[in-house]
Amino acid sequence: MKYDYINNSISFEDNGNIYNCHSYIPQSDFDEDNYGLLFLASPYFVAESDYYEVNLYRGKRKNRVGWIIPINLLCNTDIDYLSDLDDYLLKYADISLRKLLTFCIKKKLLNDLDFEITDILPDSVIIFIYNQDSLSLSEIDHVIPSLYDNGFYTFDDPLSANFGDLYSSQLKNREIKEAKSNGSLRKINLRLIHEKYHHLLFFKHLYSYILPNNTNPFFRYISLYQVIEILMSFAFDDIYFSVISSYNTGACTKTN
């Protein structure tokens, strides 16, 4: 899709109509095809200023993979405020807006010719925009548990999500507020699920569809304990096969 930046708007054509999405986010030179987008929501990060650089750990190696950006930031009209933001944040904000517009076009959500992105999508939406050279599309599901640990729920479709009833943990809320107030929360650090767990679709279903809106504490405890049992079973298998291998190679005997 070709987008033109004219008079604080992104202009584009679809089915013979010219649309204008109002935005003061400056144009970047990023290629939309090189970036992926994941829809998030959070009961803990609700302010326009809740934007964070995202790092991904692969073992001990850490790389920046993108930004978490509230959708309201994309509608900010304060030029002085925007000019003080990190250059990379603004570049990722621009590519986020273009990805959102492409999403709206594909879903046939456009009605008014002149609009803001929050006229179409809920203002509770948070965007995780990531560079696919650092985090591939095939790996994105593998960071969902880590996003959950950081206070973010994931959604495939923001229009069908129930943002009004997101589960909020008092302990997590207190931890995040303290981290914000003392300045220790500057970046979001993610980790991939170990490759041996990648086939477990249960994880995505649990973290994306079951936990966000279920407020029953007993049900949540039982659900999350299933994760512990799964991980324990893999740990047991690792230990078991390690002992068998050691025994077969003579590294250990029946007596030691």
Side-chain angles (χ1 to χ4, degrees):
M1 176 62 67
K2 183 179 183 297
Y3 296 108
D4 296 313
Y5 291 69
I6 304 172
N7 298 326
N8 297 320
S9 291
I10 299 180
S11 180
F12 59 95
E13 181 179 353
D14 183 53
N15 290 329
N17 295 318
I18 302 298
Y19 294 90
N20 294 289
C21 177
H22 303 299
S23 173
Y24 282 64
I25 301 294
Q27 182 178 7
S28 73
D29 57 357
F30 283 4
D31 186 343
E32 183 183 341
D33 293 337
N34 295 334
Y35 295 84
L37 180 147
L38 186 65
F39 291 109
L40 308 178
S42 174
Y44 317 108
F45 300 96
V46 296
E48 183 181 307
S49 58
D50 282 331
Y51 47 80
Y52 298 95
E53 182 179 323
V54 180
N55 294 321
L56 176 68
Y57 279 90
R58 295 180 184 271
K60 295 183 179 180
R61 183 165 53 91
K62 179 178 71 173
N63 291 319
R64 179 174 63 187
V65 296
W67 285 79
I68 285 176
I69 302 173
I71 196 171
N72 282 331
L73 180 65
L74 307 181
C75 302
N76 191 298
T77 59
D78 188 336
I79 296 178
D80 291 334
Y81 175 81
L82 294 175
S83 64
D84 288 336
L85 297 180
D86 182 275
D87 287 342
Y88 265 97
L89 168 59
L90 290 174
K91 289 177 182 289
Y92 275 87
D94 171 59
I95 203 68
S96 296
L97 185 53
R98 279 189 269 153
K99 297 287 287 187
L100 289 175
L101 290 174
T102 300
F103 171 83
C104 292
I105 293 169
K106 289 181 178 179
K107 293 288 187 177
K108 301 186 184 303
L109 302 177
L110 301 176
N111 292 311
D112 298 331
L113 297 180
D114 292 277
F115 63 94
E116 291 184 349
I117 195 63
T118 50
D119 293 333
I120 302 175
L121 300 176
D123 59 9
S124 300
V125 169
I126 302 171
I127 308 302
F128 174 30
I129 186 77
Y130 57 94
N131 188 325
Q132 294 188 99
D133 289 336
S134 302
L135 177 64
S136 68
L137 182 62
S138 63
E139 292 178 314
I140 192 63
D141 287 349
H142 310 152
V143 299
I144 288 177
S146 191
L147 284 165
Y148 174 85
D149 289 341
N150 280 278
F152 296 96
Y153 297 114
T154 61
F155 296 93
D156 290 329
D157 184 356
L159 296 177
S160 62
N162 186 1
F163 294 108
D165 295 317
L166 293 176
Y167 173 79
S168 176
S169 161
Q170 292 183 0
L171 176 60
K172 174 65 74 173
N173 191 40
R174 184 165 62 250
E175 289 176 347
I176 291 176
K177 281 185 176 180
E178 290 177 356
K180 286 181 180 181
S181 63
N182 63 30
S184 62
L185 182 58
R186 294 188 177 92
K187 299 179 181 180
I188 301 296
N189 295 315
L190 303 179
R191 294 184 182 275
L192 292 167
I193 299 176
H194 193 280
E195 60 183 9
K196 70 173 68 175
Y197 311 138
H198 287 180
H199 67 287
L200 295 177
L201 296 178
F202 167 74
F203 281 157
K204 179 177 181 179
H205 189 77
L206 175 67
Y207 288 105
S208 296
Y209 301 104
I210 296 178
L211 293 178
N213 299 113
N214 193 298
T215 59
N216 185 301
F218 181 72
F219 179 84
R220 295 180 66 84
Y221 170 80
I222 294 297
S223 299
L224 288 170
Y225 193 76
Q226 304 309 305
V227 176
I228 296 175
E229 289 193 328
I230 290 171
L231 299 180
M232 287 173 60
S233 69
F234 279 108
F236 174 81
D237 288 344
D238 287 343
I239 296 172
Y240 175 78
F241 287 110
S242 175
V243 171
I244 294 297
S245 176
S246 297
Y247 180 78
N248 290 337
T249 59
C252 70
T253 65
K254 292 181 179 180
T255 57
N256 64 359

